[in-house]
Amino acid sequence: MKAEIICVGTEILMGNIVNTNAAYIAEGLAGLGISCFYQTVVGDNDSRLLELFGEASKRADIVILSGGLGPTEDDLTKETVARAMGQNLVLDDKAWKQIQKFFEKRNLKLTDNNKKQAYVPRGAKVLYNKNGTAPGIIAESEKVTAILLPGPPGELRPMWDDQVVPYLKSLSKEAFFTEMVKICGSGESFVETDLKDLIDAQSNPTIATYAKTGEVHVRVTARAENEKEAHKLVKPVVKEIKKRFGSKIFTTDENVTLEAAVMQLLNENGLTLGTAESLTGGMLTSRLINVPGASDVIKTGFITYSNKSKRKFLGVKRSTLDKYGAVSEQCAKEMAKGCAAASKSDVSVSLTGIAGPDGGSEEKPVGLTYIGVSVLGKIKVKKYLFSGEREKIRESATAAALTLLRHCLLENLTERTFA
Amino acid sequence: MKAEIICVGTEILMGNIVNTNAAYIAEGLAGLGISCFYQTVVGDNDSRLLELFGEASKRADIVILSGGLGPTEDDLTKETVARAMGQNLVLDDKAWKQIQKFFEKRNLKLTDNNKKQAYVPRGAKVLYNKNGTAPGIIAESEKVTAILLPGPPGELRPMWDDQVVPYLKSLSKEAFFTEMVKICGSGESFVETDLKDLIDAQSNPTIATYAKTGEVHVRVTARAENEKEAHKLVKPVVKEIKKRFGSKIFTTDENVTLEAAVMQLLNENGLTLGTAESLTGGMLTSRLINVPGASDVIKTGFITYSNKSKRKFLGVKRSTLDKYGAVSEQCAKEMAKGCAAASKSDVSVSLTGIAGPDGGSEEKPVGLTYIGVSVLGKIKVKKYLFSGEREKIRESATAAALTLLRHCLLENLTERTFA
C-alpha cells in the first residue's frame, strides 16, 4: 500500500513554520509499513492543489492532507479535494453541534464562517475533533482514499493516533518491523564501507545509513505478513551489524539517544558524574541533563571559561597553565581530576579547546580540543581537531565527549573495577 | 523569478528527522522576494528524483535541492540532476584537496567513496564547504538553474547565507531590501494582533511574522528598482513597529541572536556575567558562550543540580531549601546572589524549576520555573509556568532567562547605576 503526504499552508511555504506535521505523519506511516515516496507542501491555492492532488492520486492509494480546514475563505483543502473526487459537501450535524459547543464553552461568538467547517463530503467518515473545531475526513473512492486532517499539531496528532492509525491498520495486509542500530565513533563513509556487501545485497530487509554529529544510524527494515515474521528477517542482519561494530553500537532502540545510553550506563552502575566544560560552555551537561532522571547521576557541573576559574574551582595548577596553556593535554587532565574531587563524583569529564573564530594559532589551530575522562581516579585524555564554525565545533566536541566517556566506562566495566 | 525546493532524503520521508532545511531555504527565498509554490521531499531514488526534477524544471526557474550529496552508495542527487541537465561530472581538484585535508586533519582513513563527493557537473559553480566534505553546486542551463546543497543543516545554512544568497541577489533585476525586527517577551498572537492593521494593509513592503521559542521575528521586505529605494520603503514600516514594541525589540539585524544582543549589552558596559543553572543544566550558558568573544564577559558558570551543590557552591541556605524548596523564589534569589559572589561577577542569572516529566506536584507543577537576575547587587526574581515536554520547557526557560537578563540590564542602564 502506497501513501502520499500533502501539507497545505502558505505559512509552511514561506518558511514561517517548520513542517512538523509531515514528519509526524511520515513516522506513523513508516511504523505501519505503508510506503510513502513523496511529501509535498503547497499553498492555499485551488488550481495548484487540484493538480497536485490529481498527480498524488495517480501515484498513491492514500493521499493524506493536512491544513486548510479552517473557517476562513482561503481555507479550501476540503472543497478542492471533494471537487476532485466528484463528491458533494453536506452538513454533518454532529460536527456542527460540536463546533457550537466549542464556542459556547469559551464564550466565543460564532460566525457564519464556522458552519463551513461542519460540511463534509457525502458518505465520508468524519473524524471528530476533540481539540479544535475542524473535523478530519476520510473520503473513499475507487481511485483513491483521501484523509484530511487539521493543520494545528495539537489537533492533528491525537486525531492521527486515535482515529487514523486504527483505520489504516484495518486496511493493511502487510506487517512491518524496523530496528535502528546507532553507532558512535565511526564516520558515515566508514560505516557504509564496512556494510557495503550487506547494503548491495539488500532487498528485504532494507538497510539505510543516516549521518548525525558524531553518530551514524543504520535503519534495518523488513516486511512480512505479520510483525513476528518481519522481526525474524531483521534479526540476523542486526546481529551481523552488531558483530562488525561491536561496542561502538550504543543502542538499537530508535528512541534512545547517545546521552541517554551514557546516563543509563552510569545509573546501572550507581556512578555519579561531574562535568568541567570550557569551550562547550555547558552544552555537554545540558544534553545529559535532558535525560529524565539526570538528578540521580549529575550533581554539579563547572563551566570554567577563564584560567582563573579553572584554578579556583578545579585546582588546575598555575604552572600547568603557564607551561602548557589552557588548551593542553595536561590542563584537560587536571580539570578532570579536579572536577571529580570538587564535585565528589565517581566519574568526571573535562573539555578544553579553541572554538574560534579567533584564538587559533599555527601551533594550536581553531578546533583543537582535549577531552579528559576520569573513572574512579583512572584518567584518560584524548586530542581532537574539529572543523566548522564555532557552534559546529562545540557540537562535535560534545558528541566526542559522550563517545569517549562511554568508551572509558565500558573499558572499566569490562575490567570489573567496580565495587 | 520562481524557485522550487526539493529535499532529498529517506530519513525525512520516513519521518526520522523534521525537514528544517526546507523552512530555512523558504524563509531565505521569501526574504529575497523569490516566489516558491512547491516544496517536495523525495527519497534517494533515481527515477523518482529524475521525474520530480523534470516537473520542477518546467514550473520554476530555479530548483534548489538539499541532501543526497554524501559519500555513500544511496547518495545520488548530484548524479541524477547532472544526467537530467545533460552535464558530465568531472573531478574538481580544489574540492578533492579540501576533502583530503578534511580527513588528514582528523587522522581519518579516506575511503574510495569520498572521492565521489569531489565530482561536479562540468562548468558548474562550486560552493566549497567549510563545514563538511560535500561541496554545493550551482549548475546552469537555458532551461533551469539547479542549486545543490548538502543535507546537514550545519553545512547547508552557512553555505546558503555566504554563497547562495549573494548569487540569487545577482540574478534579480529588481532589488530587495529586508529587515528583520526581532522581539522578545511577546507571544506571536500578541505581535500579530498589534500588527494586524499593518499586515492587512501590506503589499510592498510585505510583513511576515515568525514564531521562535521566546521570540517573534517580523520580516519586512520591500521590492524596488534598487536597494536604496527598497530601503526607503522598509524604513517607515520598521519605524512604526519599533514605536509599537519599543525596548522589546532587541535587534533589526537578521544575524544578531538574542544571546548576542545580551552579550553586547554586557560587553559595552564592561560587565562580567556569572550563571547558576539548575533545570536548564548549562543550556543558557552554552547559548551565551556560543557568541564569539564570550570569554571577556563570562568567567564561570555553575550547574548546581543537587541541593547540596546549590548550598556548597552558591551558598543557598539549608533553611531556605527546607522551608521553601529548591524551586522557589527564595532559592532563585540566593542562587543569583551566591553566584555573583562566587564568580566575582557584576551580573548573575539563576534558574531553578521542574523540567519533568516527573517531580511535579499539585502545588508545584511541571514547568514551574523561577529565574533570578542580579545586576550590581540589585536582584529581581520572576516566576514562570512553561508547558511542553522536558526539552521544550528547558528551551523556554533559557529564552526567558535571556529576556529577563536583558530587561534588568536595560532597566539599570537607564537608571545610570553604572560606574
Side-chain angles (χ1 to χ4, degrees):
Chain A
M1 192 158 50
K2 271 191 257 167
E4 194 160 322
I5 300 167
I6 298 176
C7 296
V8 184
T10 309
E11 66 273 38
I12 306 173
L13 215 48
M14 300 279 288
N16 301 48
I17 56 171
V18 175
N19 188 4
T20 53
N21 284 346
Y24 193 82
I25 295 167
E27 201 178 338
L29 289 172
L32 291 164
I34 298 172
S35 307
C36 178
F37 297 126
Y38 299 89
Q39 293 171 6
T40 313
V41 177
V42 66
D44 304 283
N45 176 286
D46 181 60
S47 61
R48 279 192 286 271
L49 178 56
L50 196 65
E51 188 192 345
L52 181 59
F53 180 77
E55 286 168 22
S57 307
K58 288 192 217 105
R59 292 186 296 225
D61 312 298
I62 303 168
V63 181
I64 300 165
L65 301 100
S66 79
L69 300 183
T72 70
E73 284 306 308
D74 57 349
D75 292 303
L76 44 72
T77 303
K78 184 171 59 189
E79 291 74 7
T80 304
V81 170
R83 208 166 74 255
M85 295 176 78
Q87 299 178 340
N88 300 323
L89 294 172
V90 294
L91 184 71
D92 183 84
D93 293 322
K94 186 176 170 188
W96 179 222
K97 281 198 183 66
Q98 286 196 346
I99 291 168
Q100 289 168 306
K101 252 214 207 86
F102 187 93
F103 276 76
E104 277 163 28
K105 255 188 168 179
R106 291 161 182 71
N107 306 312
L108 295 169
K109 206 168 113 285
L110 208 62
T111 71
D112 299 346
N113 287 344
N114 300 108
K115 194 165 187 176
K116 168 177 181 291
Q117 295 189 291
Y119 279 82
V120 302
R122 176 170 279 115
K125 288 186 180 60
V126 182
L127 310 173
Y128 296 101
N129 188 343
K130 290 194 215 74
N131 307 290
T133 54
I137 290 159
I138 299 178
E140 295 168 324
S141 75
E142 308 75 44
K143 232 167 100 267
V144 69
T145 294
I147 301 178
L148 282 65
L149 302 169
E155 300 178 30
L156 178 138
R157 294 181 179 207
M159 193 178 284
W160 173 266
D161 296 342
D162 304 339
Q163 303 186 68
V164 180
V165 169
Y167 170 79
L168 292 174
K169 272 187 175 164
S170 73
L171 299 179
S172 169
K173 282 158 227 64
E174 220 179 12
F176 176 90
F177 187 86
T178 181
E179 218 165 320
M180 185 70 96
V181 184
K182 298 186 178 180
I183 300 165
C184 60
S186 263
E188 189 189 21
S189 56
F190 278 107
V191 173
E192 171 75 19
T193 308
D194 293 350
L195 294 179
K196 193 175 185 315
D197 56 326
L198 296 181
I199 290 166
D200 290 348
Q202 70 176 312
S203 62
N204 185 29
T206 58
I207 300 168
T209 62
Y210 309 135
K212 316 274 171 192
T213 302
E215 303 174 31
V216 179
H217 298 179
V218 183
R219 180 189 273 282
V220 183
T221 304
R223 302 161 181 286
E225 73 239 334
N226 61 57
E227 189 169 330
K228 193 153 162 289
E229 288 306 309
H231 191 171
K232 266 193 201 155
L233 293 168
V234 167
K235 224 170 169 185
V237 177
V238 169
K239 192 177 168 196
E240 177 59 28
I241 297 171
K242 281 182 173 171
K243 209 177 92 196
R244 296 186 188 189
F245 292 95
S247 66
K248 284 183 169 179
I249 296 170
F250 62 88
T251 185
T252 55
D253 181 340
E254 176 116 48
N255 303 311
V256 172
T257 60
L258 179 54
E259 54 268 33
V262 170
M263 289 296 269
Q264 191 189 352
L265 214 47
L266 290 160
N267 228 329
E268 283 172 350
N269 294 280
L271 297 168
T272 56
L273 175 73
T275 60
E277 302 186 60
S278 189
L279 86 155
T280 45
M283 190 182 275
L284 170 65
T285 316
S286 181
R287 265 186 77 173
L288 288 163
I289 280 181
N290 203 50
V291 180
S295 51
D296 300 335
V297 173
I298 301 181
K299 310 298 176 188
T300 309
F302 300 93
I303 299 165
T304 54
Y305 213 52
S306 68
N307 284 358
K308 205 178 217 165
S309 109
K310 288 180 182 69
R311 274 167 40 219
K312 181 174 174 188
F313 297 102
L314 303 175
V316 173
K317 291 197 218 73
R318 182 193 291 266
S319 58
T320 302
L321 294 165
D322 293 345
K323 190 170 174 192
Y324 303 105
V327 180
S328 65
E329 183 180 346
Q330 294 79 359
C331 182
K333 189 172 180 179
E334 290 183 22
M335 283 173 74
K337 189 169 174 227
C339 174
S343 65
K344 295 199 166 58
S345 303
D346 308 311
V347 180
S348 69
V349 54
S350 68
L351 293 109
T352 179
I354 302 160
D358 310 319
S361 70
E362 187 62 34
E363 178 205 4
K364 292 187 176 182
V366 168
L368 177 67
T369 304
Y370 291 90
I371 301 176
V373 173
S374 168
V375 178
L376 301 170
K378 197 167 162 195
I379 302 179
K380 174 173 198 148
V381 177
K382 204 170 161 192
K383 178 184 178 179
Y384 302 83
L385 186 60
F386 302 112
S387 73
E389 308 209 311
R390 186 174 175 87
E391 184 163 22
K392 179 84 166 83
I393 287 171
R394 297 173 63 238
E395 283 169 355
S396 302
T398 299
L402 288 169
T403 301
L404 183 64
L405 174 54
R406 180 174 170 278
H407 174 79
C408 292
L409 286 170
L410 291 175
E411 220 172 43
N412 284 275
L413 282 162
T414 50
E415 285 172 19
R416 306 205 182 325
T417 55
F418 290 165
Chain B
M1 194 156 49
K2 270 190 257 166
E4 194 160 323
I5 301 167
I6 298 176
C7 296
V8 183
T10 309
E11 64 271 43
I12 307 174
L13 216 47
M14 300 279 284
N16 299 50
I17 57 170
V18 176
N19 189 1
T20 54
N21 284 345
Y24 193 83
I25 294 167
E27 196 179 338
L29 290 171
L32 291 163
I34 298 173
S35 307
C36 179
F37 297 125
Y38 297 90
Q39 293 173 5
T40 313
V41 177
V42 65
D44 305 284
N45 176 287
D46 181 61
S47 61
R48 280 191 285 270
L49 178 56
L50 197 65
E51 188 191 344
L52 180 60
F53 180 78
E55 287 168 21
S57 307
K58 285 191 218 110
R59 293 186 295 225
D61 313 297
I62 303 167
V63 180
I64 300 165
L65 301 99
S66 80
L69 301 183
T72 70
E73 289 295 311
D74 57 351
D75 293 304
L76 44 71
T77 303
K78 184 171 58 186
E79 292 73 7
T80 303
V81 170
R83 209 166 74 255
M85 296 177 75
Q87 299 177 341
N88 299 326
L89 294 172
V90 294
L91 184 72
D92 184 83
D93 293 323
K94 186 174 169 191
W96 178 222
K97 279 195 187 66
Q98 286 195 348
I99 291 167
Q100 289 168 307
K101 253 215 208 87
F102 187 92
F103 276 75
E104 277 164 24
K105 259 186 159 184
R106 287 162 189 68
N107 305 313
L108 293 172
K109 202 171 94 271
L110 206 61
T111 69
D112 300 345
N113 287 341
N114 299 109
K115 193 166 188 176
K116 168 178 180 291
Q117 295 189 291
Y119 280 83
V120 304
R122 177 171 279 113
K125 289 186 178 61
V126 182
L127 311 172
Y128 296 101
N129 188 343
K130 289 197 221 75
N131 307 294
T133 53
I137 290 159
I138 299 178
E140 295 167 324
S141 76
E142 309 75 44
K143 231 165 103 270
V144 68
T145 295
I147 302 179
L148 283 64
L149 302 169
E155 301 177 28
L156 178 139
R157 294 180 177 205
M159 193 179 281
W160 174 266
D161 296 341
D162 305 340
Q163 304 187 68
V164 179
V165 169
Y167 169 80
L168 291 174
K169 278 186 174 166
S170 74
L171 296 182
S172 155
K173 284 158 232 61
E174 263 186 324
F176 288 87
F177 186 85
T178 180
E179 218 164 321
M180 186 69 95
V181 185
K182 298 186 178 181
I183 300 165
C184 61
S186 266
E188 192 190 21
S189 55
F190 283 104
V191 173
E192 275 183 340
T193 309
D194 294 351
L195 294 179
K196 194 179 183 317
D197 56 326
L198 297 180
I199 291 169
D200 290 348
Q202 68 174 308
S203 61
N204 184 28
T206 57
I207 301 168
T209 62
Y210 303 85
K212 315 273 173 192
T213 302
E215 302 173 33
V216 180
H217 299 179
V218 183
R219 182 190 282 284
V220 183
T221 306
R223 191 171 69 248
E225 72 236 333
N226 61 57
E227 191 167 330
K228 194 156 162 288
E229 289 305 310
H231 191 172
K232 267 194 201 153
L233 293 168
V234 167
K235 223 170 170 182
V237 177
V238 169
K239 194 177 167 196
E240 177 58 29
I241 297 172
K242 280 182 174 170
K243 211 177 88 194
R244 297 187 188 190
F245 292 95
S247 67
K248 284 184 170 178
I249 295 169
F250 62 89
T251 186
T252 55
D253 180 341
E254 175 112 50
N255 303 312
V256 172
T257 60
L258 179 55
E259 54 268 33
V262 170
M263 290 296 268
Q264 191 189 354
L265 216 47
L266 290 160
N267 228 329
E268 283 171 351
N269 294 278
L271 297 167
T272 56
L273 176 73
T275 60
E277 302 186 61
S278 188
L279 88 156
T280 45
M283 190 184 273
L284 171 65
T285 317
S286 181
R287 267 186 75 172
L288 288 163
I289 281 181
N290 203 49
V291 180
S295 52
D296 300 334
V297 172
I298 301 182
K299 310 297 177 190
T300 307
F302 300 93
I303 298 166
T304 53
Y305 213 53
S306 68
N307 284 357
K308 207 178 214 164
S309 118
K310 287 180 182 73
R311 275 166 40 216
K312 180 173 176 188
F313 297 104
L314 304 175
V316 173
K317 292 197 218 75
R318 181 193 293 265
S319 58
T320 303
L321 294 167
D322 293 343
K323 191 170 170 192
Y324 304 104
V327 180
S328 64
E329 182 179 348
Q330 294 79 0
C331 182
K333 190 172 180 179
E334 290 183 24
M335 283 173 74
K337 190 170 175 226
C339 174
S343 64
K344 293 196 168 62
S345 304
D346 308 311
V347 181
S348 68
V349 54
S350 67
L351 293 109
T352 178
I354 302 160
D358 310 319
S361 69
E362 187 62 35
E363 180 206 4
K364 293 187 175 182
V366 168
L368 176 67
T369 303
Y370 292 90
I371 302 176
V373 172
S374 167
V375 178
L376 301 168
K378 200 168 158 193
I379 303 179
K380 177 174 196 145
V381 178
K382 204 170 161 193
K383 177 184 177 178
Y384 303 82
L385 186 60
F386 301 113
S387 64
E389 306 213 308
R390 184 176 176 89
E391 185 162 24
K392 179 84 172 99
I393 286 171
R394 296 173 65 239
E395 284 168 356
S396 301
T398 299
L402 288 168
T403 301
L404 183 64
L405 175 54
R406 180 174 171 277
H407 175 80
C408 293
L409 286 169
L410 291 175
E411 219 172 45
N412 285 275
L413 282 162
T414 51
E415 287 171 18
R416 312 211 181 308
T417 54
F418 291 172

